[in-house]
Amino acid sequence: MKLSVPGARRIPGRIPAARKVKATATAAVAGLALSGLFAGAAPAANAAPAPAPRPVQAVQPAQAAPSTAFAAPDIPLANVKAHLTQLSSIAAANGGNRAHGRAGYLASVNYVKGKLDAAGFTTSVQQFTSSGSTGYNLIADWPGGDTNQVVMSGSHLDSVTAGAGINDNGSGSAAVLETALAVSRAQLKPTKHLRFAWWGAEELGMVGSRYYVNNLPSADRSKISGYLNFDMIGSPNPGYFVYDDDPTIEQTFKTYYAGLGVATEIETEGDGRSDHAPFKNVGIPVGGLFSGADYIKTAAQAQKWGGTSGRAFDQCYHRSCDTTSNINDTALNRNSDAVAYAVWSLSGAQ
């Protein structure tokens, strides 16, 4: 999640558009779906481990997910964490980060793209320029479904230069990736078309997602029935926040958490400052989940969710300590399952 003013504390509520970091993204869309595009950029990807029994969690035991007409799968926590391990290894091999314009970001794109290509997705890489460096968005489409009704899920794949960015935003990226792979394992036949995206240069002001939206013809914009955003969903002292944008999407997530007996709150800390904003600004319905950044957890929130009051939801936000140890398994587990629940529910999956 981007910080609007480097080094400054955030003020709750929406950040005026004039304060957002502006970057001019140029260059044409490059359909770079060749499997060798980024060969050699990333360490060899290990196959995700088989699903393992879930450990006893720190906040409260997860309960059975609410039933749906077409039940979404349980997303294996072990698989999501295996993706985080890979992203951590990529950062370690590339100067300690996965930031825009750095080798670690390109390697991250390569890793995710390789998984999706092997799973039968149609992938493309969209190229743009920001701050003098080339950036990349990765788009993956699942075959089938009504292409006039697209359910799109996304997350930003870049980190800040300070560190590996495992919660911000390896967590969202890994959950979206594993949900996409679950679609493939199920050989899903959704009524609506499914599209997944990993954005570049979010930390510079949602540059990649804004470039994507701005270069979509108006006819294609109207085909996106909803965009779901997942930016920081494994915070170590977590909250359970739901975007209050599109009512249908919002209620989908609330229904899921009600089925777990977990209370939610409306997300305000990052409102308008992640990759859903460019979609919302052109009238596309949006929604998403968030587990908190550097705002302080209140006593009431700690009583409701567990964790420690008087401490930030993520004390390592935008710091070098945002590593694989900066993840709460319960939050990551629940939120990953919620991603799949929303994708299955909103797409009319069969």
Side-chain angles (χ1 to χ4, degrees):
M1 180 170 292
K2 86 173 190 72
L3 187 63
S4 57
V5 180
R9 291 289 293 185
R10 294 194 216 128
I11 300 174
R14 297 181 181 269
I15 303 297
R19 291 182 56 198
K20 293 179 182 175
V21 177
K22 296 183 180 178
T24 301
T26 60
V29 173
L32 308 177
L34 297 177
S35 60
L37 176 65
F38 305 124
N46 298 325
R54 295 187 178 179
V56 175
Q57 304 290 0
V59 177
Q60 79 178 69
Q63 303 172 38
S67 62
T68 60
F70 303 107
D74 177 70
I75 298 299
L77 175 63
N79 290 11
V80 179
K81 294 190 74 174
H83 299 314
L84 294 181
T85 297
Q86 286 296 315
L87 294 176
S88 177
S89 296
I90 287 169
N94 291 281
N97 66 69
R98 301 180 301 102
H100 167 73
R102 308 294 181 90
Y105 179 72
L106 202 59
S108 300
V109 172
N110 189 39
Y111 170 74
V112 176
K113 184 177 185 298
K115 291 288 187 182
L116 296 165
D117 288 341
F121 283 83
T122 299
T123 62
S124 61
V125 177
Q126 185 181 52
Q127 185 173 317
F128 59 89
T129 301
S130 180
S131 299
S133 297
T134 302
Y136 305 93
N137 293 326
L138 174 62
I139 311 298
D141 285 88
W142 180 244
D146 183 358
T147 55
N148 290 313
Q149 299 183 80
V150 178
V151 174
M152 191 169 185
S153 303
S155 61
H156 75 86
L157 190 54
D158 63 317
S159 73
V160 293
T161 57
I166 297 304
N167 186 40
D168 184 16
N169 182 38
S171 61
S173 294
V176 173
L177 173 57
E178 192 56 32
T179 296
L181 297 179
V183 166
S184 175
R185 289 193 292 267
Q187 286 298 291
L188 203 63
K189 297 179 180 178
T191 301
K192 297 180 180 180
H193 182 74
L194 290 176
R195 181 173 298 152
F196 299 87
W198 290 263
W199 308 116
E202 186 272 353
E203 297 292 1
L204 301 184
M206 298 90 72
V207 178
S209 55
R210 183 182 294 116
Y211 182 80
Y212 175 83
V213 171
N214 287 349
N215 284 276
L216 272 182
S218 58
D220 289 338
R221 290 179 183 175
S222 66
K223 294 176 182 178
I224 301 177
S225 60
Y227 171 73
L228 315 178
N229 194 60
F230 304 99
D231 187 354
M232 300 181 67
I233 60 171
S235 302
N237 189 29
Y240 292 89
F241 299 99
V242 176
Y243 296 9
D244 64 336
D245 294 292
D246 178 73
T248 298
I249 299 173
E250 177 185 356
Q251 189 56 53
T252 299
F253 288 120
K254 287 183 173 180
T255 297
Y256 177 80
Y257 274 103
L260 296 182
V262 175
T264 61
E265 290 184 9
I266 296 305
E267 197 284 311
T268 58
E269 183 178 359
D271 198 5
R273 294 193 5 261
S274 190
D275 292 301
H276 60 293
F279 290 84
K280 182 177 178 178
N281 290 344
V282 297
I284 294 171
V286 302
L289 298 174
F290 178 57
S291 56
D294 61 352
Y295 279 17
I296 302 301
K297 178 177 278 188
T298 67
Q301 289 170 329
Q303 182 175 16
K304 177 165 51 180
W305 293 323
T308 306
S309 64
R311 292 179 60 181
F313 294 102
D314 183 357
Q315 292 193 116
C316 289
Y317 173 70
H318 282 189
R319 297 174 61 194
S320 61
C321 56
D322 187 7
T323 65
T324 52
S325 60
N326 190 48
I327 290 289
N328 179 279
D329 282 1
T330 299
L332 184 64
N333 192 8
R334 289 170 170 168
N335 283 324
S336 297
D337 288 342
V339 175
Y341 177 84
V343 168
W344 258 250
S345 299
L346 295 170
S347 68
Q350 301 182 33

